[in-house]
Amino acid sequence: MSQDNADLEARLAEQDTFEPPESFVEQANITDPGIYEEFEENWPGCWERAADLLSWDEEYDAVLDDSDAPFYEWFTNGEINASYNCLDRHVEDGAGDNVAIEWEGELGETRTYTYEELLDEVEDTAAMLRGLGVEEDDIVTLYMPMIPELPIAMLACARIGAPHSVVFAGFSADALATRMNSADSEYLITCDGYYRRGDALDHISKTNEGLEGVEHEVSDVVVVDRLGDDLDHELADNQHDYDDLVAEYEGSTVEPVARDSEDMLFLMYTSGTTGQPKGVKHTTGGYLAYSAWTSHAVLDIEADDTYWCSADIGWITGHSYIVYGPLALGTTSVMYEGTPDYPDKDRMWEIVEKNEVDIFYTAPTAIRAFMKWGEEYPAQHDLSSLRLLGTVGEPINPRAWKWYYKHIGNEECPIVDTWWQTETGGMMITTLPGVCEMKPGSAGPPLPGIDAQVVDANGEEVDAGQAGYVTVNNPWPGMLRTLYDNDERFINEYWNEYSDAEADEWVYFPEDGAKIDEDDYITILGRVDDVINVSGHRLGTMEIESAVVGVEGVAEAAVVGGDHEVKGEAVYVYAIPEDGYEGSAELEERAAEAILDSIGPIAKPEEIVFTHELPKTRSGKIMRRLLEDIASGNELGNTSTLRNPDVVDDIAEQVSTD
Ligand code: ATP
Ligand code: MG
C-alpha cells in the first residue's frame, strides 16, 4: 500500500461521521431538512405526498382510517392498479421507449425490455392467466429464479387483481407446498431449471415434489422453459409450456382492473422463526405509495436513472425495490440472474460499468465478500456513474461501510443503511441521503412520518447510549395489513408487547433490539428471538433443530449461529445421539440431509458436533450463548452456573475455530 493510501485508510478508520457529498446534494430529490417537521405537523396528511406519486382511478376519501386499529386502512375508497402505475402511464406519458428492465443473465446473455415491450408481455401473460381461469382475488404462486418472466408474471397478476405469492426459488419442495397450502393457491408458474455458475439446475423435479405435498387440487402449472434442451422433462396433464401457451395470447389487450386501495396486492411469506411461516399481506394503494415514496426519497430514483438492486425478487427487497418502487417511478431497473463471482469476482462491477448504473443497493453480506476478495476487483472498472449506494438486511459493521464508501463509492456517494422488514413493506429507519450526515454502523433516524423509538421492557424510551427494543407508534402506508387468514396471530406477533388495547393505543413491535444516540440515530443490534442470519437469509433455529431431531438416531439438538467472515453467521449444530447410536459420519450426513430437505441449501451447517450432553442451566435450559461463543471462537465466560460445566471443554475441543 502506498503512503497516500495508508494515510487515507487511517483517516477513514478514525472518522465516525460523514457529510453527504456536495455533488450529490446539488441534485437530490429531497434536500430540505424541514421535511421531518413538516411530516410530523401534518400527520397523517403528509402521506398524500406519497399517494401523489401515483395515478389513481378513483380518488381516496381519507388518508387513514384508524377506526378498527390495528387493522388500519390507508387511502380508503381509492381505486388503483399497480400494473397501470408501473407500465401504462409511462407509455402514455411518452416514455414507452425508455428501458424498464435490463436483464443480465449469468452466462452473459442480456434481455432489454422497454416500458412498451414490458407492457405487451404483461398483457399477454395476464390474458394467459385469465384464459386458465384465474379470477380476481385468486392467489397465484410464482416459484421462479431471477428471470424476466418473474416480474412479468407479478405485474400480470397485479393487472387482473390476482394477488401473487412468490416463493424464493432456492427454497425446498416442502417450503413450496407449505406456502401453496397456506394460501390455498391453485395456480403456479415455475420453470424447468436455471443456471448457476454455468451448470443447469433442475427446478421442475423440485416443483413436482412440492406439488405432491399440496393438499388441494392444483388446477394449472405453467412451466417457463429456461434451459431449452438441457433438461428432459415431461409435462403432466395440468402442466403447460409457458412459451406455447402465452403465444396463443400474443397481442392481447387486457385492461387493468381498478382495485380498491385495501385489496391485496401480494402475499409474502417470511422465513418464520416459530413453526409455520407467516403470510404477510400487503395491499395495493398503501404498499405501492410507500414503495414509490421511499424509492424517491431514500434511493433518490428518477426516471432517467439506471438503478440496480442486487437482491432476489423472492424476498421483499426485490418486490419493493426491483419491481414496484422503481417501475412506479419509471426508471431503468437492472436485474441480475446469477452469482457475484461468476465468471470472476469483478462481475458486479462489470455490470455497473457496462450499464452505467447510477444507484446500487445490496446487502452487507455481499459487501463483506467483496472486501474479502479485494479492492483490485472494483478497481478494474469505471464506477464513476454511481451517485448513491445502499444496504439492507442486517447491520453493517463500520469497517465494511467504509470499504464500500471508499472502494465502490470513491467517497462521492452517500450510503443509505436501510432498516425495514417484510412486514413494513418499505424502508423505515435510514438517513435521507441529501439531508442527513451518515454514521457508519447506525441506520440513522426514523424517516419523516415514521414515529420509531427505542424503549425498555416497560415501554419507556431509553436514554441515549442505552440498548432496548425498536417500536413504532404510528401506522404507515406500507405496513402489513394482517397475516393471511390469521388475524389473531397478526395481533400476537406484532401488537401485543407494547400496546394498550383497552386505551386503543397501538404500538408496532418489530422484535429487533437497538440503541439510540443523542441525535436520534438508531443502531440495530439484531433480533430479539433466536434467528441466524446466513448471507442475509434469516433462518429460524427452531426450524433447523426440529429437522435434526427428526433424524433417527438424534436425541436432542441445539442450533446456533457462529460468526462467519463472509456469511455473517453460519449454522452450527450440536446434537446428542440417541442411545445405541454414535456420532458417526453417517449420522452427520443424515442430519445435514434433513436440513437440506426441510429448509434448503442456504441452511447447510458449517459444523455438526456430536456430544453426549449439551450445556444446561440448573433449570434445564440449554445455554445457547455459550454454544454461540464456542462456534464463534470467543472467550468462554463463567460456566459455574451450569449443571454440567465439564461438557463445555469437551464440545469446544471438537469445534475447529479457524
Ligand atoms: P422472520 O420474521 O420470519 O424471522 P425475517 O425477519 O428474517 O423473517 P425480513 O423481514 O426479510 O425477514 O428481515 C427483516 C429483519 O432484517 C429486520 O427485522 C432486522 O432484524 C434485519 N434488518 C434489515 N435491514 C437491516 C439493517 N439495515 N440493519 C440492521 N438490521 C436489518
Ligand atoms: Mg422478521
Side-chain angles (χ1 to χ4, degrees):
M1 200 188 293
S2 73
Q3 187 54 42
D4 274 5
N5 226 334
D7 288 350
L8 187 67
E9 295 284 352
R11 175 173 63 68
L12 267 180
E14 270 175 27
Q15 193 174 343
D16 49 21
T17 61
F18 293 75
E19 288 300 323
E22 208 45 56
S23 56
F24 179 86
V25 176
E26 274 165 15
Q27 60 74 57
N29 283 344
I30 292 178
T31 50
D32 178 8
I35 188 171
Y36 288 95
E37 219 178 285
E38 185 194 317
F39 268 52
E40 199 176 325
E41 280 168 7
N42 181 30
W43 191 93
C46 56
W47 291 115
E48 287 198 39
R49 208 157 144 184
D52 284 348
L53 292 170
L54 305 177
S55 304
W56 295 77
D57 295 322
E58 191 68 54
E59 272 304 310
Y60 47 88
D61 319 324
V63 171
L64 172 67
D65 176 355
D66 59 1
S67 58
D68 187 24
F71 297 93
Y72 296 97
E73 297 193 348
W74 286 90
F75 309 119
T76 51
N77 296 322
E79 289 184 8
I80 189 164
N81 182 282
S83 139
Y84 175 82
N85 273 273
C86 291
L87 301 167
D88 309 56
R89 64 169 180 156
H90 306 312
V91 176
E92 288 166 13
D93 287 349
D97 291 338
N98 287 5
V99 174
I101 292 180
E102 189 69 69
W103 179 79
E104 293 274 350
E106 194 185 67
L107 302 179
E109 77 260 58
T110 58
R111 284 200 244 162
T112 303
Y113 295 86
T114 64
Y115 274 93
E116 179 132 35
E117 288 163 348
L118 193 62
L119 173 58
D120 286 346
E121 298 274 346
V122 166
E123 284 189 283
D124 295 354
T125 304
M128 176 194 84
L129 288 171
R130 277 224 177 115
L132 291 174
V134 177
E135 289 177 9
E136 202 174 337
D137 295 320
D138 286 346
I139 296 174
V140 178
T141 303
L142 308 176
Y143 187 39
M144 280 183 271
M146 289 288 281
I147 53 178
E149 287 81 359
L150 176 54
I152 288 170
M154 290 163 77
L155 293 166
C157 287
R159 196 164 190 87
I160 61 172
H164 52 73
S165 166
V166 177
V167 178
F168 174 56
F171 272 154
S172 65
D174 273 357
L176 173 66
T178 315
R179 285 156 179 74
M180 286 187 76
N181 284 329
S182 160
D184 260 319
S185 174
E186 294 174 11
Y187 300 92
L188 172 68
I189 307 185
T190 182
C191 67
D192 57 347
Y194 52 101
Y195 297 101
R196 268 297 169 279
R197 298 172 198 279
D199 295 330
L201 295 190
D202 178 0
H203 191 62
I204 189 69
S205 301
K206 195 164 74 167
T207 303
N208 287 335
E209 197 188 318
L211 285 168
E212 277 168 29
V214 178
E215 287 149 10
H216 52 272
E217 197 186 325
V218 174
S219 53
D220 295 278
V221 178
V222 183
V223 185
V224 174
D225 178 7
R226 169 78 187 108
L227 296 184
D229 295 335
D230 283 357
L231 183 82
D232 262 349
H233 70 94
E234 272 179 28
L235 295 174
D237 286 347
N238 67 343
Q239 300 189 335
H240 318 271
D241 179 273
Y242 178 88
D243 292 325
D244 291 348
L245 194 61
V246 85
E248 294 173 23
Y249 296 91
E250 209 182 307
S252 297
T253 301
V254 177
E255 288 302 321
V257 170
R259 297 279 281 168
D260 187 277
S261 279
E262 283 297 312
D263 280 342
M264 174 166 36
L265 179 62
F266 64 85
L267 274 184
M268 170 99 252
Y269 284 87
T270 65
S271 51
T273 55
T274 46
Q276 287 291 312
K278 297 170 278 191
V280 171
K281 175 181 159 185
H282 281 294
T283 59
T284 312
Y287 169 83
L288 195 64
Y290 200 68
S291 55
W293 163 253
T294 45
S295 295
H296 166 82
V298 181
L299 294 173
D300 201 54
I301 289 177
E302 287 176 69
D304 58 7
D305 283 328
T306 299
Y307 155 82
W308 182 18
C309 166
S310 73
D312 193 291
I313 294 179
W315 308 116
I316 189 74
T317 302
H319 279 53
S320 301
Y321 299 115
I322 296 177
V323 183
Y324 288 111
L327 297 184
L329 298 182
T331 198
T332 299
S333 186
V334 175
M335 191 179 158
Y336 174 48
E337 180 187 35
T339 40
D341 55 350
Y342 189 85
D344 204 351
K345 297 185 175 70
D346 67 336
R347 185 63 192 271
M348 306 300 272
W349 320 124
E350 184 210 314
I351 293 174
V352 169
E353 177 173 12
K354 187 178 133 203
N355 293 288
E356 296 181 52
V357 170
D358 299 277
I359 301 159
F360 179 61
Y361 189 32
T362 193
T365 180
I367 297 168
R368 285 193 298 268
F370 303 147
M371 237 174 116
K372 187 172 163 245
W373 297 337
E375 62 203 58
E376 58 272 29
Y377 292 100
Q380 289 163 17
H381 296 276
D382 178 2
L383 306 181
S384 61
S385 59
L386 289 168
R387 77 164 191 276
L388 176 68
L389 302 173
T391 77
V392 60
E394 56 185 315
I396 179 164
N397 47 308
R399 206 164 71 84
W401 192 101
K402 289 173 185 176
W403 187 92
Y404 195 32
Y405 188 68
K406 175 166 184 271
H407 295 289
I408 307 305
N410 192 28
E411 301 185 72
E412 282 163 359
C413 305
I415 295 177
V416 285
D417 172 359
T418 61
W419 177 89
W420 60 291
Q421 311 178 293
T422 307
E423 294 88 342
T424 68
M427 302 157 176
M428 300 288 281
I429 301 176
T430 182
T431 49
L432 286 173
V435 174
C436 307
E437 68 172 18
M438 299 165 275
K439 303 185 186 186
S442 172
L447 282 173
I450 301 298
D451 186 10
Q453 51 276 306
V454 179
V455 301
D456 64 19
N458 301 315
E460 301 294 330
E461 285 188 40
V462 301
D463 294 333
Q466 300 295 304
Y469 308 102
V470 183
T471 52
V472 187
N473 280 352
N474 280 339
W476 63 100
M479 68 196 302
L480 78 163
R481 291 309 189 266
T482 189
L483 292 176
Y484 185 62
D485 224 10
N486 204 339
D487 289 348
E488 198 184 314
R489 189 168 176 202
F490 168 69
I491 302 271
N492 286 339
E493 290 274 351
Y494 308 108
W495 304 96
N496 251 353
E497 211 71 25
Y498 291 103
S499 302
D500 181 349
E502 257 151 52
D504 201 23
E505 280 167 17
W506 297 94
V507 177
Y508 175 77
F509 180 48
E511 302 187 293
D512 272 357
K515 283 196 310 199
I516 191 159
D517 74 6
E518 58 288 346
D519 302 320
D520 274 350
Y521 274 51
I522 294 176
T523 296
I524 305 292
L525 298 173
R527 52 191 313 140
V528 174
D529 52 2
D530 269 326
V531 155
I532 309 178
N533 191 335
V534 181
S535 303
H537 305 304
R538 310 195 61 102
L539 306 169
T541 51
M542 307 239 311
E543 236 187 331
I544 306 177
E545 284 171 11
S546 68
V548 176
V549 297
V551 172
E552 194 192 305
V554 176
E556 200 181 348
V559 170
V560 299
D563 293 350
H564 188 281
E565 205 187 333
V566 176
K567 299 178 189 167
E569 278 187 293
V571 174
Y572 282 80
V573 179
Y574 301 88
I576 304 177
E578 272 173 20
D579 284 348
Y581 285 86
E582 313 178 341
S584 60
E586 194 247 347
L587 191 58
E588 188 176 326
E589 199 173 297
R590 282 196 287 129
E593 237 162 59
I595 294 173
L596 186 74
D597 286 344
S598 74
I599 294 112
I602 195 79
K604 185 174 191 289
E606 190 73 11
E607 282 211 42
I608 299 179
V609 176
F610 284 102
T611 170
H612 61 287
E613 265 181 274
L614 289 166
K616 290 197 175 158
T617 62
R618 294 189 194 274
S619 60
K621 285 200 190 134
I622 298 172
M623 279 278 273
R624 287 165 185 287
R625 292 259 165 277
L626 202 60
L627 292 172
E628 285 168 19
D629 284 341
I630 294 174
S632 304
N634 296 338
E635 281 285 324
L636 302 183
N638 187 349
T639 56
S640 62
T641 55
L642 288 182
R643 188 192 277 174
N644 48 358
D646 49 346
V647 70
V648 174
D649 289 342
D650 221 330
I651 296 177
E653 247 175 44
Q654 288 190 59
V655 179
S656 55
T657 48
D658 41 15

